[in-house]
Amino acid sequence: MISIALATLAVVLLASWLLFPPRHRHGCATRQTAINNSTVRPPPCVVGLPLLGNALPLGKEGANFLYKCWKRYGDAFTLHAAGQKMTFLFSPHSLVHYLRAPETELSFLPAVEQWTERVFGLPPAEFLPRHHLILSSTRNLVGRKGAENIDQHAKTLMPLLKKGISKWLMNADNDLDEKQQQHQQQHLSTSNASAWVKLELSEAIAKLVFSASVEALFGAAFLQRHGAGYLYPAFFEFEQCFELAASPIPHFLQPKFRIAREKLLKAITKSYLSGDFAGFMIGDLIQVSGMPPHAVPNMILAVLWASQANTVPTAFWTIGFLLLPEHKSTYLQQIRASIDQGRGDSSTLPSFACDSSSLLIKCCMESLRLRSASTDVRMAAKDFILNNQHDEDILIEKGTMVMICPWISHMDPRLYEDQPEVFNPHRQGAALPCDTNTARVNNSCTTTSSCINRQLHGAVAGVGGLAGLAFGGGKFRCPGRSFAEMELGLVVGMIIDELEIELVVSGEEASGEKSSGASTAMSGSCPGDPHGLLPAPDVRRLVGVKVPDGPCWVRIRQRER
């Protein structure tokens, strides 16, 4: 299927190049101002095919291709795809500049317009003017500014998660009516609690998080009206097609995406018109955003995707890392012991989940660092010269897509000095230069004391700690980070607290399914998983937290108190 999609993409890119040729055909040629300055150079271009550029290897290899380019070309290089230039930046100095640059230099909205319009169907004329209001409102509702709301959401989520985890022990579907749920609970209470149950961890967590968080953020009426058995398959079909849907490939050639989006928008529209969202976070956001009624369902779809796409895989990887033999007897047991110490106090687990200094949250953030997204993107709003490192200045031309790759940068010893490929929740956070200003002596750049003085937090708003670049940074950092940390902490904490859980390792596979082999090119083993006991992350996927490229079977049973 991927090969067919790549072939189709090649045809579409060729046609788009012929019908709509790029304005600048000079590739990486410098502007006259840069030519006059011997210290300024354009980033090196990665050799690609005529017309198609680097589209095929980027689509086929994903982050592996970017990693190979970084090792060969250094901290800045440019790719091409059908005339579009994409410059990737990796040096710590350029990362700070990227995240702190004003909109007049590096613009966010034009860079993500293809996602908001093509994937969610949000009309640019309606969404772009309201983007800042939506961001600030979301921070007030579920961000750090909305601390009281986060506490309330934690209290709402806990019983929903507990109900979902109990279904795991029955190997039950998540879409049961109330009578079936009561029967299931009665059967569970009289059954042998010590019996092991096998399940596929990735899908189980996806269903658990979807049902619980959708009910907490969007309302029980939304789930009851349409059923998780209808919404869940449609959403994850939509999510799996997400990247391809943003590409130039027409949607009529992507029937799975088109059908899934139509189902979701139909359900969302019906619930919106019926008032199902009133009194919940999404209802409050609808009111304050001022989005016109015809665009509201598309905005809700975007929020639904944002609430699921990264939380689900991060929760999976956190549980997976904690189940590895080298961590199960240490980190997992320490988290479990901390929860047990507060047994009887209903606020114990929520307090850990809302405390960024707790081992529980540190393990979640370290997992996120090791499986973060491959791209974060801006658009160059004008020509400008960027100090990459030391005495090297590079020219960024207007219209260039300027990108960073958190997945690779998180393996850079300049950011994480202590074995960045190792899972270590006690490590120091990302170290970025606290000031990118440099002194010039005889027209050469010299590092000042402010550049030498590296700090863990404060260089860029939203960047620092274990998660590093995973939540973005600066003005457009993730507005729901605090809620995401709390939700991850609750999901992981409750699974650890409620269940005995073990990996089904090689030789005990519950299924003949295997990973398709999209392994990382970074090292001989996958970051965080030196012995390959977990499925490899799908490095072909560039947007969002890496998903597992195969099943992960575990066995569970109710934990004895």
Side-chain angles (χ1 to χ4, degrees):
M1 170 139 181
I2 291 177
S3 59
I4 296 174
L6 288 173
T8 307
L9 177 60
V11 173
V12 172
L13 289 173
L14 176 59
S16 65
W17 191 90
L18 293 173
L19 294 173
F20 308 101
R23 295 181 181 179
H24 306 293
R25 294 186 182 240
H26 56 283
C28 288
T30 57
R31 301 295 173 95
Q32 188 62 44
T33 55
I35 292 175
N36 295 334
N37 189 335
S38 60
T39 67
V40 179
R41 66 171 183 84
C45 290
V46 178
V47 177
L49 296 173
L51 306 183
L52 298 179
N54 312 106
L56 294 183
L58 184 61
K60 184 179 180 180
E61 300 181 53
N64 276 350
F65 179 66
L66 297 178
Y67 180 78
K68 293 174 184 177
C69 292
W70 178 48
K71 301 303 286 185
R72 178 175 179 181
Y73 295 96
D75 281 334
F77 58 82
T78 294
L79 305 180
H80 288 82
Q84 177 62 60
K85 297 171 62 175
M86 298 173 288
T87 294
F88 283 83
L89 304 174
F90 291 92
S91 79
H93 283 82
S94 62
L95 294 179
V96 173
H97 188 109
Y98 170 91
L99 293 167
R100 295 176 65 177
E103 278 284 290
T104 54
E105 187 172 280
L106 283 176
S107 183
F108 176 78
L109 291 177
V112 300
E113 187 174 326
Q114 65 172 342
W115 306 99
T116 56
E117 183 177 15
R118 282 189 57 77
V119 178
F120 302 117
L122 274 166
E126 306 292 354
F127 174 69
L128 298 183
R130 295 175 174 85
H131 181 255
H132 178 71
L133 176 61
I134 292 173
L135 277 182
S136 60
S137 299
T138 303
R139 288 194 180 101
N140 288 328
L141 291 170
V142 296
R144 193 169 297 279
K145 293 182 179 179
E148 292 183 3
N149 290 334
I150 292 177
D151 290 340
Q152 184 58 48
H153 282 305
K155 294 175 182 178
T156 303
L157 276 172
M158 282 192 67
L160 298 175
L161 291 170
K162 188 177 181 68
K163 181 175 68 174
I165 292 171
S166 70
K167 294 177 183 179
W168 289 7
L169 294 165
M170 297 299 299
N171 257 342
D173 196 341
N174 277 327
D175 193 28
L176 302 176
D177 60 32
E178 185 175 353
K179 185 175 181 180
Q180 289 172 317
Q181 291 176 14
Q182 291 175 352
H183 175 74
Q184 170 193 281
Q185 292 296 331
Q186 291 172 358
H187 179 77
L188 179 62
S189 63
T190 58
S191 65
N192 183 3
S194 64
W196 290 97
V197 175
K198 285 183 179 179
L199 82 163
E200 201 285 302
L201 184 62
S202 178
E203 184 175 7
I205 288 179
K207 290 182 177 181
L208 173 70
V209 173
F210 184 86
S211 295
S213 66
V214 168
E215 182 168 341
L217 296 173
F218 297 82
F222 178 50
L223 275 179
Q224 292 168 359
R225 184 181 297 277
H226 308 289
Y230 175 87
L231 294 172
Y232 171 84
F235 174 80
F236 281 95
E237 188 71 63
F238 170 86
E239 206 277 330
Q240 288 174 3
C241 300
F242 185 88
E243 280 193 36
L244 197 60
S247 74
I249 298 177
H251 286 172
F252 72 84
L253 296 176
Q254 304 180 58
K256 289 185 177 180
F257 168 79
R258 181 170 44 80
I259 293 171
R261 187 171 74 170
E262 287 175 359
K263 284 183 176 180
L264 291 171
L265 286 175
K266 181 178 179 181
I268 290 170
T269 300
K270 187 172 183 179
S271 284
Y272 168 56
L273 296 176
S274 301
D276 291 345
F277 303 125
F280 293 88
M281 185 282 290
I282 193 64
D284 296 337
L285 186 60
I286 292 170
Q287 286 187 336
V288 299
S289 69
M291 191 70 71
H294 71 275
V296 165
N298 305 88
M299 182 187 74
I300 295 174
L301 178 59
V303 176
L304 176 63
W305 178 84
S307 72
Q308 301 292 311
N310 293 325
T311 303
V312 168
T314 304
F316 164 79
W317 291 117
T318 306
I319 292 293
F321 287 136
L322 290 174
L323 290 179
L324 295 178
E326 59 267 37
H327 306 317
K328 188 173 183 181
S329 61
T330 54
Y331 303 136
L332 187 147
Q333 291 301 331
Q334 290 170 22
I335 293 171
R336 184 171 282 167
S338 297
I339 297 173
D340 286 344
Q341 284 179 359
R343 182 72 57 204
D345 184 351
S346 60
S347 66
T348 297
L349 183 53
S351 66
F352 287 144
C354 294
D355 181 3
S356 59
S357 66
S358 69
L359 180 59
L360 174 61
I361 295 301
K362 285 182 176 181
C363 286
C364 293
M365 295 303 99
E366 176 71 344
S367 302
L368 179 57
R369 180 186 73 85
L370 290 168
R371 294 293 183 267
S372 56
S374 291
T375 55
D376 190 280
V377 62
R378 304 283 192 273
M379 177 77 76
K382 65 178 182 180
D383 297 349
F384 68 94
I385 296 174
L386 171 67
N387 176 247
N388 193 31
Q389 61 178 353
H390 305 303
D391 60 349
E392 181 181 77
D393 290 334
I394 59 174
L395 173 70
I396 305 293
E397 296 181 1
K398 180 179 179 179
T400 300
M401 298 285 278
V402 182
M403 311 175 86
I404 63 174
C405 180
W407 163 256
I408 295 175
S409 290
H410 288 168
M411 295 298 107
D412 189 339
R414 293 173 297 182
L415 267 66
Y416 292 91
E417 298 174 351
D418 183 21
Q419 296 180 296
E421 74 283 357
V422 173
F423 180 86
N424 177 13
H426 294 304
R427 72 169 65 251
Q428 290 187 323
L432 288 172
C434 59
D435 185 6
T436 58
N437 293 325
T438 55
R440 290 197 173 269
V441 179
N442 297 325
N443 202 35
S444 64
C445 174
T446 61
T447 304
T448 66
S449 60
S450 61
C451 292
I452 296 173
N453 178 22
R454 291 152 67 85
Q455 59 181 21
L456 303 181
H457 301 278
V460 179
V463 176
L466 292 173
L469 302 165
F471 287 102
K475 181 179 178 181
F476 297 106
R477 62 194 182 278
C478 174
R481 174 171 183 167
S482 296
F483 180 85
E485 290 184 358
M486 175 276 294
E487 186 178 25
L488 283 168
L490 280 184
V491 172
V492 174
M494 291 202 70
I495 291 173
I496 291 174
D497 187 40
E498 294 288 330
L499 302 174
E500 295 288 348
I501 181 168
E502 296 179 354
L503 281 174
V504 177
V505 296
S506 179
E508 304 177 72
E509 284 85 354
S511 168
E513 297 175 89
K514 297 290 183 182
S515 168
S516 66
S519 59
T520 175
M522 290 182 180
S523 61
S525 60
C526 194
D529 182 20
H531 305 295
L533 297 181
L534 301 174
D538 187 353
V539 296
R540 296 164 299 190
R541 182 171 178 143
L542 298 176
V543 178
V545 175
K546 298 286 177 291
V547 298
D549 194 35
C552 180
W553 291 93
V554 297
R555 54 182 169 222
I556 62 171
R557 65 182 178 185
Q558 200 164 37
R559 184 179 170 224
E560 295 182 3
R561 304 297 184 187

